[in-house]
mmCIF file of all heavy atoms in Angstrom:
data_model
loop_
_atom_site.group_PDB
_atom_site.id
_atom_site.type_symbol
_atom_site.label_atom_id
_atom_site.label_comp_id
_atom_site.label_asym_id
_atom_site.label_seq_id
_atom_site.Cartn_x
_atom_site.Cartn_y
_atom_site.Cartn_z
ATOM 1 N N ASN Z 1 75.681 11.019 -73.799
ATOM 2 C CA ASN Z 1 75.103 10.409 -74.999
ATOM 3 C C ASN Z 1 73.595 10.288 -74.888
ATOM 4 O O ASN Z 1 72.873 10.487 -75.878
ATOM 5 C CB ASN Z 1 75.722 9.032 -75.231
ATOM 6 C CG ASN Z 1 77.199 9.116 -75.570
ATOM 7 O OD1 ASN Z 1 77.660 10.116 -76.136
ATOM 8 N ND2 ASN Z 1 77.949 8.084 -75.229
ATOM 9 N N ALA Z 2 73.104 9.958 -73.695
ATOM 10 C CA ALA Z 2 71.654 9.845 -73.518
ATOM 11 C C ALA Z 2 70.975 11.192 -73.698
ATOM 12 O O ALA Z 2 69.895 11.292 -74.276
ATOM 13 C CB ALA Z 2 71.342 9.271 -72.134
ATOM 14 N N GLY Z 3 71.601 12.264 -73.207
ATOM 15 C CA GLY Z 3 71.005 13.590 -73.336
ATOM 16 C C GLY Z 3 70.910 14.047 -74.770
ATOM 17 O O GLY Z 3 69.902 14.631 -75.179
ATOM 18 N N ASP Z 4 71.949 13.800 -75.553
ATOM 19 C CA ASP Z 4 71.910 14.179 -76.967
ATOM 20 C C ASP Z 4 70.779 13.475 -77.703
ATOM 21 O O ASP Z 4 70.238 14.001 -78.682
ATOM 22 C CB ASP Z 4 73.247 13.837 -77.636
ATOM 23 C CG ASP Z 4 74.341 14.833 -77.267
ATOM 24 O OD1 ASP Z 4 74.000 15.976 -76.919
ATOM 25 O OD2 ASP Z 4 75.526 14.456 -77.317
ATOM 26 N N LYS Z 5 70.412 12.295 -77.240
ATOM 27 C CA LYS Z 5 69.391 11.506 -77.937
ATOM 28 C C LYS Z 5 67.994 11.764 -77.411
ATOM 29 O O LYS Z 5 67.044 11.882 -78.193
ATOM 30 C CB LYS Z 5 69.731 10.014 -77.807
ATOM 31 C CG LYS Z 5 68.774 9.102 -78.555
ATOM 32 C CD LYS Z 5 69.213 7.649 -78.452
ATOM 33 C CE LYS Z 5 68.267 6.734 -79.228
ATOM 34 N NZ LYS Z 5 68.686 5.305 -79.121
ATOM 35 N N TRP Z 6 67.834 11.887 -76.086
ATOM 36 C CA TRP Z 6 66.501 11.892 -75.511
ATOM 37 C C TRP Z 6 66.046 13.260 -75.007
ATOM 38 O O TRP Z 6 64.851 13.542 -75.032
ATOM 39 C CB TRP Z 6 66.430 10.887 -74.354
ATOM 40 C CG TRP Z 6 66.685 9.471 -74.791
ATOM 41 C CD1 TRP Z 6 67.794 8.713 -74.550
ATOM 42 C CD2 TRP Z 6 65.818 8.646 -75.585
ATOM 43 N NE1 TRP Z 6 67.677 7.480 -75.119
ATOM 44 C CE2 TRP Z 6 66.468 7.401 -75.768
ATOM 45 C CE3 TRP Z 6 64.552 8.835 -76.151
ATOM 46 C CZ2 TRP Z 6 65.903 6.364 -76.497
ATOM 47 C CZ3 TRP Z 6 63.986 7.791 -76.878
ATOM 48 C CH2 TRP Z 6 64.653 6.584 -77.035
ATOM 49 N N TRP Z 7 66.953 14.086 -74.519
ATOM 50 C CA TRP Z 7 66.529 15.414 -74.054
ATOM 51 C C TRP Z 7 67.557 16.467 -74.473
ATOM 52 O O TRP Z 7 68.233 17.069 -73.663
ATOM 53 C CB TRP Z 7 66.300 15.416 -72.526
ATOM 54 C CG TRP Z 7 67.427 14.854 -71.704
ATOM 55 C CD1 TRP Z 7 68.516 15.517 -71.231
ATOM 56 C CD2 TRP Z 7 67.558 13.511 -71.236
ATOM 57 N NE1 TRP Z 7 69.328 14.690 -70.518
ATOM 58 C CE2 TRP Z 7 68.764 13.447 -70.490
ATOM 59 C CE3 TRP Z 7 66.784 12.359 -71.372
ATOM 60 C CZ2 TRP Z 7 69.199 12.263 -69.893
ATOM 61 C CZ3 TRP Z 7 67.236 11.192 -70.777
ATOM 62 C CH2 TRP Z 7 68.416 11.162 -70.046
ATOM 63 N N PRO Z 8 67.706 16.694 -75.776
ATOM 64 C CA PRO Z 8 68.774 17.553 -76.286
ATOM 65 C C PRO Z 8 68.646 19.013 -75.887
ATOM 66 O O PRO Z 8 69.625 19.756 -75.969
ATOM 67 C CB PRO Z 8 68.670 17.382 -77.803
ATOM 68 C CG PRO Z 8 67.251 16.977 -78.043
ATOM 69 C CD PRO Z 8 66.858 16.141 -76.863
ATOM 70 N N PHE Z 9 67.454 19.458 -75.491
ATOM 71 C CA PHE Z 9 67.268 20.873 -75.159
ATOM 72 C C PHE Z 9 67.524 21.173 -73.679
ATOM 73 O O PHE Z 9 67.332 22.307 -73.251
ATOM 74 C CB PHE Z 9 65.848 21.317 -75.537
ATOM 75 C CG PHE Z 9 65.568 21.197 -77.003
ATOM 76 C CD1 PHE Z 9 64.780 20.173 -77.502
ATOM 77 C CD2 PHE Z 9 66.098 22.114 -77.896
ATOM 78 C CE1 PHE Z 9 64.527 20.057 -78.856
ATOM 79 C CE2 PHE Z 9 65.860 22.010 -79.247
ATOM 80 C CZ PHE Z 9 65.069 20.973 -79.737
ATOM 81 N N LEU Z 10 67.942 20.172 -72.915
ATOM 82 C CA LEU Z 10 68.152 20.359 -71.481
ATOM 83 C C LEU Z 10 69.632 20.376 -71.105
ATOM 84 O O LEU Z 10 69.969 20.225 -69.937
ATOM 85 C CB LEU Z 10 67.421 19.262 -70.697
ATOM 86 C CG LEU Z 10 65.897 19.245 -70.837
ATOM 87 C CD1 LEU Z 10 65.302 18.104 -70.015
ATOM 88 C CD2 LEU Z 10 65.289 20.575 -70.415
ATOM 89 N N GLY Z 11 70.504 20.574 -72.073
ATOM 90 C CA GLY Z 11 71.922 20.673 -71.772
ATOM 91 C C GLY Z 11 72.218 21.921 -70.963
ATOM 92 O O GLY Z 11 71.613 22.975 -71.153
ATOM 93 N N ALA Z 12 73.169 21.832 -70.048
ATOM 94 C CA ALA Z 12 73.479 22.958 -69.176
ATOM 95 C C ALA Z 12 74.208 24.079 -69.919
ATOM 96 O O ALA Z 12 74.136 25.244 -69.526
ATOM 97 C CB ALA Z 12 74.320 22.487 -67.998
ATOM 98 N N VAL Z 13 74.918 23.748 -71.001
ATOM 99 C CA VAL Z 13 75.719 24.721 -71.734
ATOM 100 C C VAL Z 13 75.396 24.593 -73.219
ATOM 101 O O VAL Z 13 75.118 23.494 -73.714
ATOM 102 C CB VAL Z 13 77.227 24.495 -71.493
ATOM 103 C CG1 VAL Z 13 78.054 25.597 -72.137
ATOM 104 C CG2 VAL Z 13 77.532 24.408 -70.007
ATOM 105 N N TYR Z 14 75.436 25.727 -73.920
ATOM 106 C CA TYR Z 14 75.165 25.708 -75.357
ATOM 107 C C TYR Z 14 76.203 26.532 -76.098
ATOM 108 O O TYR Z 14 76.887 27.391 -75.537
ATOM 109 C CB TYR Z 14 73.766 26.250 -75.667
ATOM 110 C CG TYR Z 14 73.545 27.694 -75.276
ATOM 111 C CD1 TYR Z 14 73.941 28.748 -76.105
ATOM 112 C CD2 TYR Z 14 72.939 28.021 -74.058
ATOM 113 C CE1 TYR Z 14 73.735 30.071 -75.742
ATOM 114 C CE2 TYR Z 14 72.738 29.338 -73.692
ATOM 115 C CZ TYR Z 14 73.129 30.355 -74.541
ATOM 116 O OH TYR Z 14 72.937 31.659 -74.167
ATOM 117 N N VAL Z 15 76.308 26.246 -77.394
ATOM 118 C CA VAL Z 15 77.139 27.023 -78.316
ATOM 119 C C VAL Z 15 76.288 27.323 -79.543
ATOM 120 O O VAL Z 15 75.724 26.409 -80.150
ATOM 121 C CB VAL Z 15 78.412 26.251 -78.715
ATOM 122 C CG1 VAL Z 15 79.169 27.008 -79.811
ATOM 123 C CG2 VAL Z 15 79.321 26.046 -77.519
ATOM 124 N N VAL Z 16 76.188 28.594 -79.898
ATOM 125 C CA VAL Z 16 75.388 29.043 -81.037
ATOM 126 C C VAL Z 16 76.309 29.731 -82.044
ATOM 127 O O VAL Z 16 77.167 30.530 -81.664
ATOM 128 C CB VAL Z 16 74.269 30.011 -80.597
ATOM 129 C CG1 VAL Z 16 73.564 30.624 -81.805
ATOM 130 C CG2 VAL Z 16 73.261 29.281 -79.710
ATOM 131 N N GLN Z 17 76.122 29.414 -83.310
ATOM 132 C CA GLN Z 17 76.926 29.990 -84.384
ATOM 133 C C GLN Z 17 76.029 30.749 -85.349
ATOM 134 O O GLN Z 17 74.929 30.297 -85.672
ATOM 135 C CB GLN Z 17 77.678 28.879 -85.130
ATOM 136 C CG GLN Z 17 78.599 29.354 -86.233
ATOM 137 C CD GLN Z 17 79.326 28.178 -86.894
ATOM 138 O OE1 GLN Z 17 78.979 27.020 -86.682
ATOM 139 N NE2 GLN Z 17 80.335 28.482 -87.688
ATOM 140 N N ALA Z 18 76.472 31.912 -85.820
ATOM 141 C CA ALA Z 18 75.676 32.720 -86.738
ATOM 142 C C ALA Z 18 76.587 33.388 -87.753
ATOM 143 O O ALA Z 18 77.773 33.634 -87.495
ATOM 144 C CB ALA Z 18 74.865 33.771 -85.976
ATOM 145 N N ILE Z 19 76.017 33.715 -88.920
ATOM 146 C CA ILE Z 19 76.746 34.343 -90.020
ATOM 147 C C ILE Z 19 76.108 35.687 -90.328
ATOM 148 O O ILE Z 19 74.881 35.807 -90.387
ATOM 149 C CB ILE Z 19 76.721 33.451 -91.277
ATOM 150 C CG1 ILE Z 19 77.326 32.081 -90.968
ATOM 151 C CG2 ILE Z 19 77.473 34.115 -92.428
ATOM 152 C CD1 ILE Z 19 77.236 31.105 -92.132
ATOM 153 N N LYS Z 20 76.926 36.688 -90.532
ATOM 154 C CA LYS Z 20 76.436 38.021 -90.878
ATOM 155 C C LYS Z 20 76.058 38.061 -92.347
ATOM 156 O O LYS Z 20 76.893 37.867 -93.227
ATOM 157 C CB LYS Z 20 77.508 39.078 -90.582
ATOM 158 C CG LYS Z 20 77.113 40.492 -90.997
ATOM 159 C CD LYS Z 20 78.220 41.477 -90.692
ATOM 160 C CE LYS Z 20 77.890 42.872 -91.187
ATOM 161 N NZ LYS Z 20 78.957 43.849 -90.868
ATOM 162 N N ARG Z 21 74.796 38.318 -92.614
ATOM 163 C CA ARG Z 21 74.315 38.444 -93.986
ATOM 164 C C ARG Z 21 74.038 39.910 -94.291
ATOM 165 O O ARG Z 21 73.522 40.641 -93.446
ATOM 166 C CB ARG Z 21 73.043 37.626 -94.185
ATOM 167 C CG ARG Z 21 73.188 36.134 -93.920
ATOM 168 C CD ARG Z 21 74.165 35.466 -94.842
ATOM 169 N NE ARG Z 21 74.100 34.013 -94.734
ATOM 170 C CZ ARG Z 21 74.957 33.184 -95.315
ATOM 171 N NH1 ARG Z 21 75.957 33.676 -96.040
ATOM 172 N NH2 ARG Z 21 74.827 31.878 -95.162
ATOM 173 N N VAL Z 22 74.365 40.329 -95.483
ATOM 174 C CA VAL Z 22 74.135 41.701 -95.915
ATOM 175 C C VAL Z 22 73.113 41.680 -97.040
ATOM 176 O O VAL Z 22 73.333 41.058 -98.085
ATOM 177 C CB VAL Z 22 75.439 42.370 -96.385
ATOM 178 C CG1 VAL Z 22 75.167 43.788 -96.870
ATOM 179 C CG2 VAL Z 22 76.464 42.388 -95.259
ATOM 180 N N LYS Z 23 71.986 42.339 -96.828
ATOM 181 C CA LYS Z 23 70.923 42.349 -97.821
ATOM 182 C C LYS Z 23 71.374 43.086 -99.074
ATOM 183 O O LYS Z 23 72.034 44.116 -99.007
ATOM 184 C CB LYS Z 23 69.674 43.024 -97.259
ATOM 185 C CG LYS Z 23 69.007 42.238 -96.140
ATOM 186 C CD LYS Z 23 67.724 42.910 -95.688
ATOM 187 C CE LYS Z 23 67.032 42.100 -94.605
ATOM 188 N NZ LYS Z 23 65.773 42.732 -94.147
ATOM 189 N N GLY Z 24 70.981 42.546 -100.223
ATOM 190 C CA GLY Z 24 71.305 43.183 -101.489
ATOM 191 C C GLY Z 24 72.707 42.909 -101.982
ATOM 192 O O GLY Z 24 73.112 43.409 -103.023
ATOM 193 N N MET Z 25 73.457 42.094 -101.230
ATOM 194 C CA MET Z 25 74.834 41.799 -101.619
ATOM 195 C C MET Z 25 74.851 40.535 -102.463
ATOM 196 O O MET Z 25 74.233 39.532 -102.124
ATOM 197 C CB MET Z 25 75.711 41.607 -100.380
ATOM 198 C CG MET Z 25 77.163 41.342 -100.695
ATOM 199 S SD MET Z 25 78.138 41.198 -99.185
ATOM 200 C CE MET Z 25 79.744 40.829 -99.884
ATOM 201 N N ARG Z 26 75.564 40.598 -103.599
ATOM 202 C CA ARG Z 26 75.671 39.456 -104.484
ATOM 203 C C ARG Z 26 77.131 39.176 -104.773
ATOM 204 O O ARG Z 26 77.934 40.093 -104.939
ATOM 205 C CB ARG Z 26 74.935 39.710 -105.807
ATOM 206 C CG ARG Z 26 73.429 39.914 -105.655
ATOM 207 C CD ARG Z 26 72.797 40.172 -107.007
ATOM 208 N NE ARG Z 26 73.015 39.073 -107.910
ATOM 209 C CZ ARG Z 26 72.643 39.088 -109.196
ATOM 210 N NH1 ARG Z 26 72.066 40.157 -109.703
ATOM 211 N NH2 ARG Z 26 72.871 38.058 -109.982
ATOM 212 N N LEU Z 27 77.468 37.883 -104.835
ATOM 213 C CA LEU Z 27 78.826 37.504 -105.194
ATOM 214 C C LEU Z 27 79.000 37.672 -106.692
ATOM 215 O O LEU Z 27 78.180 37.219 -107.491
ATOM 216 C CB LEU Z 27 79.093 36.051 -104.785
ATOM 217 C CG LEU Z 27 79.038 35.769 -103.277
ATOM 218 C CD1 LEU Z 27 79.280 34.285 -103.016
ATOM 219 C CD2 LEU Z 27 80.084 36.601 -102.546
ATOM 220 N N ILE Z 28 80.072 38.351 -107.087
ATOM 221 C CA ILE Z 28 80.315 38.638 -108.493
ATOM 222 C C ILE Z 28 81.363 37.676 -109.019
ATOM 223 O O ILE Z 28 82.449 37.549 -108.463
ATOM 224 C CB ILE Z 28 80.788 40.096 -108.687
ATOM 225 C CG1 ILE Z 28 79.712 41.053 -108.148
ATOM 226 C CG2 ILE Z 28 81.095 40.374 -110.146
ATOM 227 C CD1 ILE Z 28 80.128 42.499 -108.203
ATOM 228 N N GLY Z 29 81.042 37.017 -110.102
ATOM 229 C CA GLY Z 29 81.977 36.084 -110.719
ATOM 230 C C GLY Z 29 82.239 36.457 -112.157
ATOM 231 O O GLY Z 29 81.847 37.530 -112.629
ATOM 232 N N PRO Z 30 82.926 35.590 -112.885
ATOM 233 C CA PRO Z 30 83.202 35.879 -114.296
ATOM 234 C C PRO Z 30 81.923 36.012 -115.093
ATOM 235 O O PRO Z 30 80.938 35.321 -114.847
ATOM 236 C CB PRO Z 30 84.032 34.665 -114.754
ATOM 237 C CG PRO Z 30 84.546 34.057 -113.492
ATOM 238 C CD PRO Z 30 83.522 34.335 -112.441
ATOM 239 N N ALA Z 31 81.919 36.913 -116.034
ATOM 240 C CA ALA Z 31 80.737 37.147 -116.875
ATOM 241 C C ALA Z 31 80.739 36.143 -118.015
ATOM 242 O O ALA Z 31 81.113 36.443 -119.156
ATOM 243 C CB ALA Z 31 80.741 38.577 -117.398
#
């Protein structure tokens, strides 16, 4: 708990999440 509050960037392990984006792609809905 102290690490999350005072030195969050010094954790020994990390988890990173990312989403694949496609340029020029648009969601199509009802007209």
Side-chain angles (χ1 to χ4, degrees):
N1 294 332
D4 284 335
K5 183 177 181 180
W6 298 108
W7 51 87
F9 298 105
L10 297 180
V13 186
Y14 62 83
V15 173
V16 172
Q17 183 179 12
I19 302 175
K20 176 181 176 179
R21 300 298 191 188
V22 178
K23 292 184 178 180
M25 182 178 178
R26 297 179 60 185
L27 296 178
I28 301 176

